[in-house]
Amino acid sequence: MARETGSQISAFFQQIVHDLYSSLYLAIGGNLEEETRDWASRGAELASTVIKIFILLAVLGFLYWLFTYIVKHNQKRLKLTEKRIGVVRSVLRYVWIVSCLIAVMSQTSIDPNTVKATAKASIWAGIYYVLWTSSEHVISRILKHYGLNASIEQLLKNIFSVLIIVFGIASVMAQFGFDIVSLVAGLGIVGLAVGFAAQSTIANFISGITILLEQSFQVGDWIALDDKEGRVILISLRTTHILTRDNITVIIPNATVASSEVINITSKNFIRFDIRARIALEADIDAARQVILQVIDGMDSILKRPEPSATIDHISDFGCVFIVRFWVTPSAVARIPGIKEALHEGIKTQLQAADIAIPYPHMRILMPKDVDYPIDTKPFEIVTHQKKE
């Protein structure tokens, strides 16, 4: 029994060694159907292939370094900017990597048709990559010529990017024998199933296109959305990015933007804001108005036309309340809290300097004098002041 078990274990390990032996022979280009296995000739062929690959890679590496050196030291003569230098280096690097891959494949036992397909696919991939990287610049120049706004520019950039990527993948796959028509039909069926599972993403996509076409707001506008307020810095096909006054980027799904009430604060050339200031009931209204208008006139952020105004909004229990209206340009909207704070501070300081009283909430209690009071008490008037916290 022990001898039988030992022979089985021995046969198992012998089978493993035989499989490794055969795999190694196949790896160096041998044929298992040969009666005798010539390791020496196969090893020589493998060494020759490795040397050829090494020489080809060395030559390609030298050519890559040479072209890079020429471009770098002839930048002024070729009138290339730093951006164009980066593009040229990227193209040279891509050509070098693809050439190395083709060189290695050509020296191995890979089917020549596969090598040709890989070369063609690499060329198509490079062409579409150049189109993808340069499409943004080309579209910007075209739209600048026709005077279209940033929202339409963003929409066209997104659409062209998607189209270039789709056609690029299709062209690359076609070089390896894939039937693109059948593949697209299959993707259409799969797309229906994916659409039901990604309804929110599709809703955001459609809402993004609607926002870009309607142009209710554009990139650069200052908008208020629910409890969020900021400058629109990006309208993509899925989300809208808003930069707040605190330099925080808020990313909102387009479906939420499309279904919410959006206030475009900077849609016009100038915007009006207001604050309130209070003076005592007995104070001179005209004198206080002149002081307030002088404070406004000294602030560069506030427009002189349309003219600011300071009128009595209402008379409260503790004084006359001014409503101070002023106008600013869209570029100053981001600084409105600071402008209002400076106005409040300046108005208070100047009113005090002009001896115009600024009241605070108070309460006066008057006790009648003709009432009998207990002994050791006198008729009196109690006046208390209750400061507002």
Side-chain angles (χ1 to χ4, degrees):
M1 185 67 180
R3 290 181 179 179
E4 184 178 354
T5 303
S7 62
Q8 291 178 352
I9 295 174
S10 177
F12 174 74
F13 282 105
Q14 287 178 1
Q15 183 64 35
I16 292 177
V17 172
H18 180 268
D19 292 341
L20 291 174
Y21 179 83
S22 301
S23 300
L24 181 60
Y25 191 71
L26 286 174
I28 63 174
N31 189 355
L32 297 180
E33 296 180 358
E34 298 176 356
E35 295 182 359
T36 58
R37 298 181 181 181
D38 190 356
W39 285 89
S41 61
R42 298 303 179 190
E45 291 180 4
L46 178 62
S48 175
T49 301
V50 171
I51 293 173
K52 291 178 182 179
I53 292 175
F54 178 78
I55 294 174
L56 288 174
L57 295 180
V59 172
L60 293 173
F62 173 76
L63 291 175
Y64 170 72
W65 173 85
L66 179 62
F67 282 111
T68 305
Y69 179 84
I70 293 173
V71 172
K72 181 178 179 181
H73 289 79
N74 291 273
Q75 180 177 352
K76 295 182 178 178
R77 184 180 301 177
L78 298 174
K79 297 180 180 180
L80 296 175
T81 61
E82 291 296 331
K83 185 177 181 179
R84 292 182 178 178
I85 286 291
V87 173
V88 172
R89 287 181 176 176
S90 298
V91 172
L92 290 175
R93 190 179 301 113
Y94 178 78
V95 172
W96 173 62
I97 294 174
V98 172
S99 300
C100 291
L101 177 63
I102 299 299
V104 172
M105 294 177 65
S106 63
Q107 298 301 317
T108 56
S109 58
I110 297 177
D111 186 8
N113 293 327
T114 304
V115 177
K116 292 179 181 179
T118 304
K120 292 180 181 179
S122 301
I123 294 173
W124 279 111
I127 292 173
Y128 279 102
Y129 175 77
V130 172
L131 290 175
W132 182 70
T133 55
S134 60
S135 62
E136 181 175 353
H137 177 68
V138 173
I139 293 173
S140 298
R141 293 187 61 180
I142 294 174
L143 296 181
K144 186 177 180 181
H145 176 72
Y146 288 100
L148 298 179
N149 57 50
S151 298
I152 297 297
E153 179 180 343
Q154 187 66 48
L155 174 62
L156 292 178
K157 286 179 181 178
N158 293 335
I159 292 175
F160 273 101
S161 296
V162 173
L163 290 177
I164 289 173
I165 292 174
V166 170
F167 282 114
I169 295 175
S171 299
V172 170
M173 295 181 66
Q175 305 307 315
F176 293 98
F178 288 94
D179 188 355
I180 303 301
V181 177
S182 301
L183 181 63
V184 170
L187 289 177
I189 298 174
V190 175
L192 293 176
V194 174
F196 288 105
Q199 294 183 12
S200 60
T201 302
I202 295 175
N204 289 325
F205 180 82
I206 297 174
S207 300
I209 295 177
T210 303
I211 291 170
L212 290 170
L213 291 177
E214 287 185 351
Q215 302 182 44
S216 302
F217 57 87
Q218 306 172 13
V219 174
D221 286 344
W222 192 278
I223 66 172
L225 176 66
D226 295 334
D227 59 341
K228 303 174 183 64
E229 183 177 326
R231 190 179 306 281
V232 180
I233 58 175
L234 177 64
I235 305 175
S236 65
L237 292 178
R238 195 184 66 85
T239 57
T240 296
H241 296 205
I242 297 176
L243 185 65
T244 66
R245 291 188 176 93
D246 299 324
N247 202 33
I248 297 174
T249 301
V250 181
I251 302 174
I252 308 174
N254 285 331
T256 302
V257 177
S259 60
S260 301
E261 178 180 328
V262 180
I263 301 174
N264 191 343
I265 300 174
T266 57
S267 60
K268 303 300 180 181
N269 295 331
F270 37 82
I271 308 99
R272 192 184 74 180
F273 293 91
D274 59 69
I275 63 170
R276 281 166 174 74
R278 184 168 55 194
I279 62 173
L281 290 171
E282 63 273 10
D284 189 340
I285 293 177
D286 291 332
R289 181 183 291 110
Q290 292 300 321
V291 170
I292 294 172
L293 292 178
Q294 287 176 3
V295 173
I296 294 176
D297 189 63
M299 299 191 65
D300 297 333
S301 302
I302 297 178
L303 297 175
K304 304 302 184 292
R305 292 288 187 276
E307 295 182 356
S309 64
T311 56
I312 295 297
D313 181 51
H314 65 277
I315 297 175
S316 68
D317 296 336
F318 308 109
C320 301
V321 180
F322 274 95
I323 179 169
V324 182
R325 298 183 175 93
F326 57 94
W327 301 79
V328 298
T329 59
S331 60
V333 171
R335 297 181 283 114
I336 280 299
I339 294 173
K340 289 184 176 181
E341 292 162 4
L343 270 178
H344 281 297
E345 184 175 344
I347 289 173
K348 180 180 184 300
T349 302
Q350 294 302 319
L351 287 177
Q352 289 178 337
D355 293 329
I356 298 175
I358 302 175
Y360 53 84
H362 61 278
M363 180 175 60
R364 175 176 293 181
I365 300 177
L366 299 176
M367 303 294 293
K369 297 180 180 181
D370 55 349
V371 177
D372 293 334
Y373 296 97
I375 302 175
D376 298 333
T377 61
K378 297 180 180 180
F380 60 89
E381 180 185 73
I382 300 176
V383 179
T384 62
H385 297 276
Q386 182 180 1
K387 294 186 178 181
K388 186 178 180 181
E389 296 182 357

